[in-house]
Amino acid sequence: MKPNTSYYKDIHTLLKGLKTVQPLSKDFHIHQFSDTPNTWVKETSIFRSNTYSIILLTKGEAKYKIGLSEYHITSGSIYFQAPQHLRYYNRLSEWQGYVIVFMDSFFENHAALKQLVTQFEGFKIASKVVVPLAEEILNETKQMFQHLYSISYSNSANRFDKAKALLELILLQSAEHYKLLYQNKKETKQNRIVKQFEQIVEEHLYDITQDKVERLITISEIAEQININATYLGEVLKKVTGKTPKEILSDRIILEARSLLNNTDMAINEIAYFLKFQDASNFTKFFKLKTGVSPSDYRF
């Protein structure tokens, strides 16, 4: 059983849901925040979108959330979104900059771009999604976005082929700075275990939304995938995050439930079965225990 409404399925429904502009095409879009100064949603509910996005924020700030990871995004940042990301944002001040949105169909027949998108860490579940840019790099990146914006709104017959080339350049530079900022840093064994745990949980919840699994994963099964025992996993997570594996998994399930309650018209019992609970009663008890309100009260 799949959700029957707005987990935004494409560029058109995403831009419509966020109250912005009409898309340039079904596969690719770019606009400036200044193109929609009075309509852009200032705070979203938790949502999914079957799209990739790259946002260059040249001015402004926001609270941003991917799964259970929270970010405070400020001026001079570039950040990334992928179809697997369950996301939320709250604009704390007016934004300036650019938004690129594209579908996987945009790069399907472009081998180099496809490789960049599929391998780029910023698009992966449980990876950091925000890259702050030094002033010199910010100016260079801004020029790339400006060029892409101009080409995309031109009358050129090859404008989208040119857009792919420019998007490839943006991702090449982004991957370079991402690696310098995050991937060259030495990671402790415990932090690596936490990241692996988060990765498995995020992938599992995404598979649930795609109706690819029949039941919720257990903590023992997660520990087995990491090649450690469940007791040691619990000790590491408690030390690093302050929470047990069960608490983190429960928090993540609640986040998914809130998204379904906010963004779909699925009945409570449908959401319960969708999230692999045995029945609506168990789901309601779980939700109320974690949030203090019932699913129906939360929705209304």
Side-chain angles (χ1 to χ4, degrees), residues 168-182:
E168 183 179 346
L169 184 59
I170 288 169
L171 280 170
L172 279 169
Q173 186 188 63
S174 297
E176 181 180 293
H177 294 296
Y178 192 99
K179 186 175 182 179
L180 288 171
L181 188 62
Y182 297 123

Side-chain angles (χ1 to χ4, degrees), residues 210-241:
Q210 303 303 301
D211 209 18
K212 292 181 178 179
V213 296
E214 296 181 356
R215 61 176 177 81
L216 282 170
I217 196 168
T218 66
I219 302 302
S220 294
E221 288 169 336
I222 297 175
E224 186 176 346
Q225 288 188 43
I226 303 175
N227 293 318
I228 59 176
N229 66 59
T231 301
Y232 180 58
L233 174 62
E235 291 171 355
V236 170
L237 288 177
K238 187 69 174 178
K239 180 178 180 180
V240 176
T241 72

Side-chain angles (χ1 to χ4, degrees), residues 18-262:
L18 297 179
K19 299 182 180 179
T20 61
V21 296
Q22 290 295 314
L24 283 168
S25 76
K26 64 182 180 62
D27 301 312
F28 172 82
H29 174 78
I30 181 173
H31 70 263
Q32 299 182 73
F33 288 114
S34 57
D35 293 336
T36 57
N38 300 315
T39 59
W40 188 279
V41 174
K42 286 185 168 53
E43 182 175 9
T44 67
S45 59
I46 302 162
F47 69 95
R48 285 190 184 279
S49 174
N50 192 30
T51 58
Y52 293 88
S53 298
I54 306 174
I55 298 94
L56 178 66
L57 193 65
T58 58
K59 186 177 180 180
E61 63 176 324
K63 288 182 180 178
Y64 190 69
K65 194 167 188 175
I66 290 286
L68 294 174
S69 299
E70 296 184 358
Y71 301 90
H72 180 202
I73 302 174
T74 56
S75 303
S77 299
I78 187 170
Y79 61 102
F80 306 89
Q81 303 168 342
Q84 298 92 335
H85 288 150
L86 186 66
R87 56 189 95 155
Y88 154 90
Y89 73 78
N90 179 12
R91 285 201 293 173
L92 302 177
S93 63
E94 289 302 308
W95 293 350
Q96 291 181 17
Y98 296 85
V99 181
I100 298 170
V101 188
F102 57 96
M103 304 285 291
D104 53 10
S105 53
F106 186 64
F107 57 77
E108 190 59 39
N109 296 318
H110 192 295
L113 182 56
K114 182 176 182 178
Q115 184 177 20
L116 277 170
V117 173
T118 54
Q119 293 185 359
F120 179 53
E121 281 294 320
F123 284 138
K124 292 183 179 179
I125 294 178
S127 291
K128 294 184 183 296
V129 300
V130 179
V131 179
L133 302 175
E135 186 175 355
E136 181 180 344
I137 303 302
L138 173 61
N139 290 333
E140 184 180 341
T141 304
K142 186 177 178 181
Q143 289 175 5
M144 293 181 192
F145 274 75
Q146 287 173 333
H147 192 188
L148 177 57
Y149 181 83
S150 298
I151 287 292
S152 300
Y153 285 91
S154 72
N155 294 322
S156 171
N158 300 315
R159 58 180 178 151
F160 291 125
D161 289 329
K162 294 175 182 177
K164 289 175 185 176
L166 288 166
L167 181 58
E168 183 179 346
L169 184 59
I170 288 169
L171 280 170
L172 279 169
Q173 186 188 63
S174 297
E176 181 180 293
H177 294 296
Y178 192 99
K179 186 175 182 179
L180 288 171
L181 188 62
Y182 297 123
Q183 292 177 276
N184 284 345
K185 291 186 176 180
K186 214 166 185 181
E187 192 173 43
T188 67
K189 180 182 178 182
Q190 291 185 337
N191 285 337
R192 187 164 59 251
I193 288 171
V194 172
K195 184 176 180 179
Q196 287 176 295
F197 177 84
E198 292 175 345
Q199 182 91 14
I200 292 167
V201 168
E202 290 293 340
E203 288 176 351
H204 180 71
L205 266 293
Y206 181 67
D207 284 345
I208 283 178
T209 68
Q210 303 303 301
D211 209 18
K212 292 181 178 179
V213 296
E214 296 181 356
R215 61 176 177 81
L216 282 170
I217 196 168
T218 66
I219 302 302
S220 294
E221 288 169 336
I222 297 175
E224 186 176 346
Q225 288 188 43
I226 303 175
N227 293 318
I228 59 176
N229 66 59
T231 301
Y232 180 58
L233 174 62
E235 291 171 355
V236 170
L237 288 177
K238 187 69 174 178
K239 180 178 180 180
V240 176
T241 72
K243 293 184 177 182
T244 66
K246 185 178 179 180
E247 287 172 333
I248 296 173
L249 180 57
S250 295
D251 287 348
R252 189 56 187 77
I253 294 168
I254 286 294
L255 200 62
E256 203 72 46
R258 288 171 57 197
S259 179
L260 288 163
L261 290 165
N262 284 330

